[in-house]
Amino acid sequence: MAPDATVLYERRAPVARITMNRPEYRNAQNSAMTYALDRAFYRAADDDEVKVVVLAGAGEHFSAGHDIGTPHRDAHLPFERRAGLWWDHSDKAGAEQRYARESEVYLGMCRRWRELPKPVVASVQGACVAGGLMLAWVCDLIVASEDAFFADPVVRMGIPGVEYFAHPWVMPPRVAKEFLYTGDRMTARRAYEVGMVNRVVPRTELAVATAALAERVARMPRMGLALAKRAVNQAEDLQGLHAGLDSVFGLHHLAHAHNAETSADPLGGMDVRAMKDAAP
């Protein structure tokens, strides 16, 4: 992909590296980026030479989350839908527009990426916030730099959490509640302690450490990796992850609708500046 693309793709031997490439906006995810990520994951899935995928972010941050205010925000533009059967959102209004779009680009795509039958390793530095968490959480392994931090501050918007609500599965429930209730940042070290992150390394060693882990995993048989991944994913689903995602997605959209009725917009009047100002 072109160097100015929203997502970069490269393959080194058995490892494909997918890099979010909006560093000037802390890799905030507009729809162009989300659909480019989708194409990149398909490309890795279709390439028989690829055994492991690395997901990374260019620049100082992994991802600051969904794009809620850059000059290239494109939430109302139509894109070719591939993650679900909901109709085009761009010519709809109200809750129908939001629900159709987010069923596709947030819940639908994340759920499908989680099922990619090849291991995916997230390489996380700096901010991994809200929508950034969703991308890290669909990965099988997470390597974080010492300066990485994790947060889901959307309760400040009156919303119970991001659309891919994996919180009680990636960390203990009481830790998840504190994480949501305060909106505070969780350090990489704390994320490691609660089991959300596999390894923490110095920032200068992040790329090398991630590549080394990916290459170590790639030595295993492809079918064995696919089946092992499927086995663990099935166990998570038996513990309620799949149904939990669906149920909280409904609560997420109830919150959007409530905000739209009682405040300035579906985000409860919280723009990028207001969210920054509210952070401790």
Side-chain angles (χ1 to χ4, degrees), residues 239-251:
Q239 293 165 355
L241 175 59
H242 193 282
L245 293 173
D246 284 335
S247 63
V248 181
F249 189 68
L251 297 177

Side-chain angles (χ1 to χ4, degrees), residues 8 12 23 57 82 105 136-137 193 235 239 274:
L8 305 178
R12 296 179 181 176
R82 300 183 68 177
V105 299
W137 286 348
E193 290 171 353
Q239 293 165 355

Side-chain angles (χ1 to χ4, degrees), residues 96-111:
E96 181 181 17
Q97 178 188 78
R98 293 188 296 273
Y99 198 91
R101 178 177 182 270
E102 295 190 4
S103 293
E104 164 80 4
V105 299
Y106 297 152
L107 182 60
M109 285 193 184
C110 282
R111 181 174 272 165

Side-chain angles (χ1 to χ4, degrees), residues 77-137:
L77 297 181
F79 285 82
E80 182 182 2
R81 300 177 307 284
R82 300 183 68 177
L85 294 175
W86 276 91
W87 43 78
D88 180 17
H89 72 279
S90 63
D91 58 351
K92 308 300 186 296
E96 181 181 17
Q97 178 188 78
R98 293 188 296 273
Y99 198 91
R101 178 177 182 270
E102 295 190 4
S103 293
E104 164 80 4
V105 299
Y106 297 152
L107 182 60
M109 285 193 184
C110 282
R111 181 174 272 165
R112 190 179 64 207
W113 297 340
R114 174 180 174 258
E115 296 301 320
L116 178 73
K118 297 178 180 182
V120 184
V121 184
S123 183
V124 178
Q125 81 281 8
C128 182
V129 177
L133 288 172
M134 294 167 46
L135 298 184
W137 286 348

Side-chain angles (χ1 to χ4, degrees), residues 248-273:
V248 181
F249 189 68
L251 297 177
H252 180 97
H253 281 275
L254 172 61
H256 275 319
H258 177 74
N259 284 343
E261 287 192 33
T262 60
S263 62
D265 56 49
L267 301 181
M270 298 291 284
D271 58 13
V272 174
R273 173 56 58 189

Side-chain angles (χ1 to χ4, degrees), residues 132-199:
L133 288 172
M134 294 167 46
L135 298 184
W137 286 348
V138 300
C139 297
D140 303 290
L141 306 174
I142 300 175
V143 180
S145 64
E146 292 172 338
D147 67 337
F149 63 89
F150 304 83
D152 187 2
V154 301
V155 175
R156 295 186 185 124
M157 299 175 174
I159 297 171
V162 289
E163 294 85 352
Y164 185 87
F165 192 86
H167 306 62
W169 287 270
V170 299
M171 62 183 89
R174 285 191 176 84
V175 176
K177 287 178 180 178
E178 180 181 359
F179 188 69
L180 289 164
Y181 293 173
T182 65
D184 289 347
R185 295 176 175 182
M186 178 183 288
T187 66
R189 182 56 55 185
R190 176 62 171 157
Y192 176 81
E193 290 171 353
V194 302
M196 191 171 78
V197 163
N198 294 88
R199 299 183 183 182

Side-chain angles (χ1 to χ4, degrees), residues 25 27 31 36 40 43 47 51 54 76-77 85 112 119 123 145 149 161 172 183 186 203 219 222-223 246 264 277:
Y25 301 118
N27 293 317
S31 294
R43 181 175 174 180
D47 187 345
K51 295 183 68 177
V54 169
H76 300 308
L77 297 181
L85 294 175
R112 190 179 64 207
S123 183
S145 64
F149 63 89
M186 178 183 288
R203 165 73 78 99
R219 297 174 197 162
R222 179 174 58 193
M223 189 61 172
D246 284 335
D277 290 344

